[in-house]
Amino acid sequence: MGAKTGLLRALLSAIADTLWETSGRLLVRTSAAYTAGVGTLTVEGTHRWPTAGRIAVDGQTGVYTGVTNTSFTGITNDVDGGVGFLDAIASGSVVMDIGRVANTEDDLYRSFLTEDAVSDQLDMLGRNFGVDRPRGVNDATYRALLLVMIYLDAQTIYACEKVLDALFGAGNYTLYEDLVSDIHTIHVEITGVATSVYAGKSFLMGGEAQPRTGVTTVDVDYEPTRVYGIYGAGDPERVGTNYVNDTIVGFTNAAQPTWFQTLIPTFTPADAGGYATIGTALWMVRAYLDPLTVQLGRGPFTDASMNSGAPTILTVEYPRFEAWMVGHGVVVAGLNPGNTGAYVIASVDSPTQVTLTGAAFVTENDVQWEVQPNFATVSPVNATMNRATIASKTITIPASASPLPLNLLVDYTTIPSAEAVEDQHVDGADPRYPFYLFEEGTTIQSLLDLITAAGVRVVVETS
């Protein structure tokens, strides 16, 4: 059985624990005389003490590396780092824990200081002053912003500059007023900061003017990750030839109605995920099967709904249907077995609704579905596919698309982003990089409105 503890001692011990947690330090007395240079200090007990730390006793400080029930072991002093304390210590001397850098009372005190508050403490501090944390702002930037918004005099250009310095860094914006033709207006132009980290960023690029470097090559200013189009300089509306497209001579096969095939090796695994245009139909390359064959389709999507009152109608949330889809198939994978199946598009009633042959739907929402081609005959067809290749900053078009015009407009992106996520069902993992749009200027305007005079308008532009 363990040793019994009296009520008074238990109560005092509990009070001592609470006082130590909130504002105190651990204390204990030596239970025997200590000889200088010894690595062990005998005490009355080490309950609640950490297994390693720093202590002070009789004006001497040092470090211990271990404990037993009644001693600190592995002691070295702070004077020369040698074993044990330099001076002898009498029995009954008070030993204090000085390894603890803060206690609950210290933490509470610091949570009200802008320089020391962190995370939700900083959020609470900002709310107390009416300055909520802007979306995507880390602690360091938010702290710098609060130091400006809380303590700086409002209604001055200097105050506006300090807010923008905290958010974007000095030199990454332009602030000006037109006191003649546009009075009572502050203009802010924000310059994007180029970094090698693309998480949380997107750049919508297009129309970069470049001369060709060869009949099939063009060099661009930055290293592309994806090339969308190359057009002649005289085609700013992109209505003419897109020189990234390769013309592929092939055929469809009634025995495999979702396949597109060629007679010579043409396809590579890199074609999967791209698109093939056949006539007016734009198909996704769902799978690479072999150098002669790819599988085409559209989807899968997860936004279909059915209604028992219109059992042949499939309705989707986003505009996905086009007139050329009549005669092709829709495959539905509903939770209700009566909805699951393959159907033929009898008519495209609108971009979000089709009538299907053979359907007998019952009410269900958020159903997975896809469009599958239904090439009913063996027929020779030509397809165009984006087959541009990238080597550093050089883009090479397919030989079938050459020669390039002398001067070009190049549409490309330098980071795997700007891919807007359609809904909550889309997988945002690699290689997709979701792009969530929000108006950055609104946040800046809201902050500057707090420190500008009444009647002054803030106009924010980005570049």
Side-chain angles (χ1 to χ4, degrees), residues 197-279:
V197 178
Y198 50 74
K201 299 183 179 69
S202 285
F203 300 91
L204 303 179
M205 303 178 65
E208 183 177 293
Q210 294 289 355
R212 77 179 189 185
T213 54
V215 293
T216 61
T217 59
V218 58
D219 291 346
V220 291
D221 291 338
Y222 307 97
E223 293 189 15
T225 58
R226 182 174 298 179
V227 180
Y228 300 109
I230 300 176
Y231 299 86
D235 185 18
E237 300 299 324
R238 287 23 174 214
V239 295
T241 302
N242 184 353
Y243 290 90
V244 303
N245 286 333
D246 190 8
T247 300
I248 300 172
V249 178
F251 61 93
T252 56
N253 188 339
Q256 296 290 346
T258 65
W259 289 7
F260 175 58
Q261 296 178 281
T262 62
L263 296 175
I264 60 175
T266 302
F267 303 113
T268 70
D271 289 323
Y275 290 86
T277 301
I278 301 176

